[in-house]
Amino acid sequence: MITKRIIPCLDVKDGRVVKGVNFEGLNDVSSPVSLAKFYSSCGADELVFYDITASSDGRKLFTDILTETAKSVFIPLTVGGGINTVADFDRVLKCGADKVSVNSGAIKNPALIGEAARLYGDQCVVLSVDIKRVDGVFRVFAKGGRENTGMEAIEWIKRCVGNGAGEVVVNSIDTDGVKKGFDIPMLKAVCDAVSVPVIASGGAGKISDFITLFKTLPQVDAGLAASIFHFGEVAISDLKAEMQKNDIYTRL
């Protein structure tokens, strides 16, 4: 049976890890380098590093802090933010990333995913999608959740996976930072639509939220969270122990 992954997320702004609610009201948390070291040593399966204002600021991702972070971890590192060209993929991979996450860049240029997949392989290309319900429809948002693209999310995800995205991170803006559980209906819709690994993001508040996620949707490959790990509300070792008690396979 495939093991379920637990992935802390570092949302980085101006070289610092920050966290907000529903993508707003960002508060300073810590240095990405020190947090990355901590997570690498305490049982995290992977780590995600998002330069969350690169797209909205219209600039390239900060590579100096990324390089320092990559040197600090011994688990797979996925990096995103301001990824608009295959040259951006190349630059980030050379800084030490294992996988590259693309969101707004793919919206601006849908051919980017296919180009990157051909150059670096599907397993290297992660589609990150910020989704919010608008009049009952799952809509794709760009620029860090600031801009409604008008696109229906499930069809967009199917298109990108068809083009070569090897993994999908589903970011629910509706549940982000609220800590009342993952967005199960949204995640189910995505899992039913694609066969690549799906990572759930947005809404984790306690250990039982992960148990509910994996028990309800065994198709979900990983749970991603930020503030509950950053602020010590949930220890990854405790989470994994509880997963094992509930017959959810994970790397201890």
Side-chain angles (χ1 to χ4, degrees):
M1 184 174 287
I2 296 174
T3 57
K4 303 302 184 185
R5 293 171 286 152
I6 299 301
I7 306 175
C9 178
L10 308 181
D11 291 322
V12 180
K13 180 177 186 286
D14 300 328
R16 297 285 293 177
V17 176
V18 296
K19 190 61 192 145
V21 176
N22 301 127
F23 284 34
E24 296 179 350
L26 299 176
N27 295 307
D28 184 85
V29 176
S30 183
S31 150
V33 177
S34 60
L35 265 185
K37 286 179 181 176
F38 170 72
Y39 289 131
S40 184
S41 68
C42 74
D45 296 295
E46 297 187 16
L47 196 63
V48 169
F49 178 113
Y50 286 139
D51 186 337
I52 60 170
T53 55
S55 290
S56 59
D57 291 351
R59 60 169 170 77
K60 294 185 182 298
L61 182 143
F62 291 125
T63 51
D64 52 350
I65 195 76
L66 168 58
T67 301
E68 284 301 306
T69 302
K71 287 178 183 174
S72 306
V73 301
F74 302 97
I75 52 177
L77 176 65
T78 298
V79 176
I83 306 296
N84 296 298
T85 65
V86 289
D88 292 328
F89 269 79
D90 187 65
R91 190 166 50 89
V92 168
L93 290 168
K94 284 176 177 172
C95 288
D98 298 284
K99 295 184 277 190
V100 181
S101 175
V102 62
N103 185 338
S104 296
I107 293 168
K108 286 184 284 189
N109 175 22
L112 175 60
I113 285 176
E115 292 170 11
R118 283 189 293 274
L119 279 171
Y120 304 109
D122 294 9
Q123 79 288 342
C124 184
V125 182
V126 179
L127 174 69
S128 178
V129 191
D130 297 331
I131 309 175
K132 183 178 176 67
R133 290 168 179 79
V134 180
D135 297 326
V137 178
F138 295 136
R139 296 293 184 193
V140 177
F141 277 66
K143 296 184 179 177
R146 295 168 179 80
E147 182 181 288
N148 183 358
T149 67
M151 292 193 298
E152 196 279 323
I154 306 304
E155 288 305 312
W156 169 245
I157 291 169
K158 286 167 65 175
R159 176 183 176 187
C160 292
V161 169
N163 287 343
E167 194 168 75
V168 180
V169 178
V170 180
N171 305 304
S172 173
I173 297 175
D174 295 322
T175 61
D176 176 74
V178 178
K179 299 184 182 180
K180 292 187 176 178
F182 290 97
D183 198 325
I184 300 293
M186 183 184 292
L187 290 161
K188 183 178 188 308
V190 175
C191 288
D192 288 347
V194 297
S195 57
V196 299
V198 172
I199 298 172
S201 172
K206 53 190 181 299
I207 287 176
S208 61
D209 291 332
F210 289 88
I211 306 302
T212 299
L213 169 70
F214 293 128
K215 286 287 191 182
T216 307
L217 290 176
Q219 312 98 300
V220 168
D221 286 75
L224 182 150
S227 57
I228 60 166
F229 297 142
H230 298 342
F231 299 121
E233 296 164 45
V234 170
I236 291 174
S237 57
D238 293 342
L239 168 56
K240 289 193 165 188
E242 194 63 27
M243 287 169 66
Q244 193 169 52
K245 283 183 196 173
N246 282 271
D247 298 318
I248 299 166
Y249 293 91
T250 188
R251 180 185 66 87
L252 294 176

